[in-house]
Every structure is written in C-alpha cells, then in structure tokens.
C-alpha cells in the first residue's frame, strides 16, 4: 500500500490510488498526458495539493454534490429522474410535481419538471436490458437534463448488431438518444506488464480501514485475476492479498494490506504531491472530477451520467459513473475523486489519453458499504 509522503525522485515509492510512480521525476511527459497539477489548483493558485487551501477551494463543489444526493435520496426513485450540476454550478433536481419543486427550491436547489416520468424511463432501461443485455460494446444511462435514456455503441458494433441497436432505439422513439463512442469499450487491466500480480498490472484505488485493519480497494476484474499483489514486477515486495472480489455486475475488490505496507487516505498527483482523501461520496452529473492511475498519472474531466450500464466484452456492469476523463490499460482500479471526496474506482472505457474517450467508474460507496469499511483518514 502507499505511503502518505510524496514519492521521491527516481524511486518506486507508492501512494494510495496510484500504486506506482511510473515516470521518474524530470522525465518527459507522454503526449497528451495531464500531470503536474490539477486544473483547479492552477485556478486557485495552490502551491501544495492537499494543503489547507485545497479543501476550502473544493468546499462549494462538494456542498452542491452533497445537496444533489440528499434531495434525490429524499424524493426517491418514484419522484425524480436524477440531478445534475448546470454550467453555473447550481444543483438542478428533476421533479414530477409542484409540491416537490417547492421542496427542492426551499433546500436551495433548482427544480426542473421532468418530461418523462421515472416509471417511463425505468421501463425503457428494463426493455434495453432484455433486448441488448448481451450486445457487447453497448451501454446506456438516464440523462436527467433531457429525460432521455442515452444509448451508446463503440466501434465494434457494426453491421447486423448496429442494425439491431437502431431498430430497438426506433421502437422506443424520442425517449432514447443514440451516440457513438470512440474506440472499443473494455476493462483497463493490462496483462503481462504497476499493482503487480499473476502477470497483470492495475492501480490501487483507496486505502481503507475495517475493524482496525488496513486494506485497499481496486477493480474487481483485477481482483478476480490476482490473489497476491506486490509492489514490483519481480514479486519481491509483498503488498497485499485479495480477500473478496466482485465482477461482472459490480467492479470492485478488497485487498488486505501486508503489515507495514498501508498508507493513509491520500492519492498521488504524480507531481511529487498528494491529495488528502477525507470521506466518500456520490458523484453527480456535471461534477468536475479527477482520476489518478499508474499508466497515465492524473487526468480531469466531468461526470456525464450515473447509474450507467456497460456491456464490456468481459461482462456487464451496472450502476456505473460515466465521465469524460481519459484512462488507459493499467489505470484499472485507480481512484476517481473530487476535492477531498472519494467517488469511484476506474473500471473501463474506450479511447486513450491522446485522442480522448469515455471512462466508467465503480462508485466507491458500494464496496465501502459491502465490506463495512471506511476510507483511511490523513495521518498528520
């Protein structure tokens, strides 16, 4: 697991969420690689990520995301189709009646009447699972802003398979919008190649604690393949042992850390700095987010959907966070976060960090609840 301190130049030191510094300090960046500093840090003039100014700068965004979760939870699935952050950063909550609009407005958010009922959109997603659940390279999620279900296809969906998708979409009319995503959807584990085990490389997600013991989270498709993790490709530095893994359906795994290998709740920013992680939360559409991973370092983007279903070649996963953040093989399991809040674990996607793409994340709150764990607090 990882240490809280910055990774020393030229070493293979670890930090939670990015298991390896794959590039020595001073080495040239890969084309299109976003490292060194987060966009929000530049705007805020931060000199030290994770220092006192970081949490304060992130507080407004964290409050709006929390408000979205509180209101949608209070309304329930029968009275709302979701929430999102608009371009002005306001929390917009979809409602079905005037009374709920007043409730939302009174809580400080913006109500918007949904064009289709929650039941109607649930009916659409249920029909999609029946007709397209085995079509790899496809997926879907509800877009709360338009009251539509967005169905996406990757570059492998052609010919008769594409025709079948188009027929399904036409039958559902204006309730469905189809989009094309670049490349091929797939999980992001890299066989044969920074955590290492059984010929695979993934990334550490978040350090967590359960019953006074140290663990860390990573992707389930990584945990399925690897039982014993090490901090080096040769297997000389024991890191942890997978104790539970879930994929497909979900995509998370719990790894018990070796004695002395555990780090605190920080993620590596790949610029000699770390960002403290103090709590876990739910992602909201429109939220600006950050991903850290052992292949590509730090990348930023925004949430475009929650509750997404993705039909990977390796299996179908549901309840995912969809984002515009890029990722590449080996980034699997790495952390998605906003400010000091843990949001998700890198699962898969399409494209890369040179041409762009779409990436999906397992919400971190699910494994934390399943395993009875909590994110490790920063150790001062």
């Amino acid at each position: 697991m990882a240490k809280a301190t910055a990774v020393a130049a030229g070493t293979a030191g670890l930090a939670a969420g990015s298991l390896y510094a794959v590039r020595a300090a001073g080495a040239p960046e890969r084309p299109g690689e976003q490292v060194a500093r987060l966009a929000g840090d530049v705007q805020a003039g931060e000199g030290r990520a994770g220092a006192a100014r970081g949490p304060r700068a992130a507080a407004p965004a964290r409050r709006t995301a929390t408000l979205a979760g509180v209101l949608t939870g209070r309304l329930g699935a029968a009275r709302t189709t979701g929430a999102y952050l608009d371009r002005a950063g306001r929390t917009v909550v979809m409602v079905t009646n005037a009374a709920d609009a007043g409730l939302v407005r009174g809580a400080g958010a913006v109500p918007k009447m949904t064009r289709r009922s929650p039941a109607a959109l649930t009916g659409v997603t249920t029909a999609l699972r029946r007709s397209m659940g085995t079509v790899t390279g496809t997926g879907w999620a509800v877009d709360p802003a338009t009251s539509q279900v967005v169905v996406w296809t990757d570059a492998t969906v052609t010919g008769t398979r594409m025709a079948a998708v188009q027929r399904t979409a036409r039958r559902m009319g204006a309730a469905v919008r189809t989009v094309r995503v670049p490349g091929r959807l797939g999980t992001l584990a890299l066989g044969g190649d920074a955590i290492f085990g059984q010929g695979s490389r993934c990334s550490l997600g978040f350090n967590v604690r359960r019953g006074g013991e140290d663990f860390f989270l990573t992707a389930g498709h990584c945990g399925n393949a690897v039982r014993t993790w090490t901090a080096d490709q040769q297997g000389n530095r024991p890191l942890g042992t997978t104790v539970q893994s879930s994929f497909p359906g979900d995509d998370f795994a719990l790894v018990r850390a070796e004695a002395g290998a555990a780090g605190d709740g920080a993620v590596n920013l790949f610029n000699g700095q770390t960002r403290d992680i103090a709590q876990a939360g739910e992602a909201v559409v429109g939220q600006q987010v950050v991903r850290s991973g052992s292949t590509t370092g730090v990348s930023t983007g925004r949430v475009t959907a929650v509750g997404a279903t993705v039909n990977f070649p390796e299996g179908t996963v549901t309840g995912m966070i969809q984002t515009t953040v890029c990722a590449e093989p080996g980034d699997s399991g790495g952390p998605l976060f906003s400010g000091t809040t843990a949001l998700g674990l890198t699962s898969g996607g399409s494209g890369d960090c040179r041409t762009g793409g779409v990436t999906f994340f397992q919400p971190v709150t699910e494994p934390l609840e399943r395993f009875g764990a909590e994110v490790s607090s920063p150790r001062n």
Side-chain angles (χ1 to χ4, degrees), residues 57-71:
R62 184 166 64 246
R63 283 195 297 269
T64 54
T66 300
L67 180 60
V70 169
L71 288 172

Side-chain angles (χ1 to χ4, degrees), residues 186-190 200 202 218-226 229 245-248 250-253 312 314 332-333 346-348:
T187 52
L188 296 172
L190 183 63
S200 297
C202 290
T218 189
H221 66 269
C222 296
N224 283 359
V226 179
W229 295 97
S245 182
S246 180
F247 178 86
D250 304 305
D251 197 3
F252 54 76
F312 292 128
E314 300 88 346
S332 276
T346 306
S347 175

Side-chain angles (χ1 to χ4, degrees), residues 15-243:
S18 60
L19 206 49
Y20 292 92
V22 297
R23 183 165 51 81
E29 295 179 5
R30 295 153 50 98
E33 188 176 8
Q34 292 179 282
V35 294
R37 183 172 288 123
L38 307 185
D41 295 339
V42 176
Q43 294 167 3
E46 287 187 353
R48 292 166 48 228
R53 297 177 67 178
R56 288 202 297 269
R62 184 166 64 246
R63 283 195 297 269
T64 54
T66 300
L67 180 60
V70 169
L71 288 172
T72 54
R74 182 172 178 181
L75 293 174
R79 293 159 57 191
T80 181
T81 57
Y84 64 95
L85 306 184
D86 67 12
R87 291 184 179 180
R90 301 175 302 178
T91 300
V92 180
V93 180
M94 307 304 295
V95 297
T96 60
N97 58 70
D100 286 343
L103 183 154
V104 168
R105 194 176 293 109
V110 178
K112 181 178 178 181
M113 297 299 293
T114 181
R115 293 168 54 193
R116 293 180 181 84
S117 70
L121 293 176
T122 298
V124 171
T125 57
T126 299
L128 288 171
R129 281 196 296 273
R130 286 197 302 264
S131 61
M132 292 173 48
T134 60
V135 182
T136 60
T138 66
W140 52 85
V142 172
D143 179 359
T146 63
S147 297
Q148 292 177 305
V149 177
V150 180
V151 176
W152 55 86
T153 57
D154 71 9
T156 69
V157 183
T158 59
T160 58
R161 294 169 69 227
M162 176 59 83
V165 171
Q166 292 171 337
R167 282 196 302 271
T168 299
R170 283 196 296 269
R171 283 199 304 269
M172 297 179 179
V176 166
R177 183 172 81 251
T178 58
V179 298
R180 195 76 159 160
V181 298
R184 173 185 178 276
L185 288 169
T187 52
L188 296 172
L190 183 63
D193 219 349
I195 31 191
F196 291 103
Q198 283 76 65
S200 297
R201 174 170 67 88
C202 290
S203 297
L204 189 150
F206 296 100
N207 288 321
V208 301
R209 298 271 294 171
R210 184 179 73 171
E213 291 186 277
D214 291 314
F215 296 80
F216 64 83
L217 298 175
T218 189
H221 66 269
C222 296
N224 283 359
V226 179
R227 173 167 172 76
T228 303
W229 295 97
T230 64
D232 64 316
Q233 196 166 10
Q234 293 71 36
N236 296 323
R237 298 170 57 196
L239 189 61
T241 303
T242 301
V243 295

Side-chain angles (χ1 to χ4, degrees), residues 58 62 65-66 206 275-283 287 289-290 336-344 364 375:
R62 184 166 64 246
T66 300
F206 296 100
R275 171 63 54 83
D276 287 340
I277 298 297
Q279 64 276 313
E282 302 288 349
Q287 185 177 15
V289 290
V290 184
L336 181 75
F337 57 99
S338 179
T340 61
T341 300
L343 297 175
V364 74
V375 293

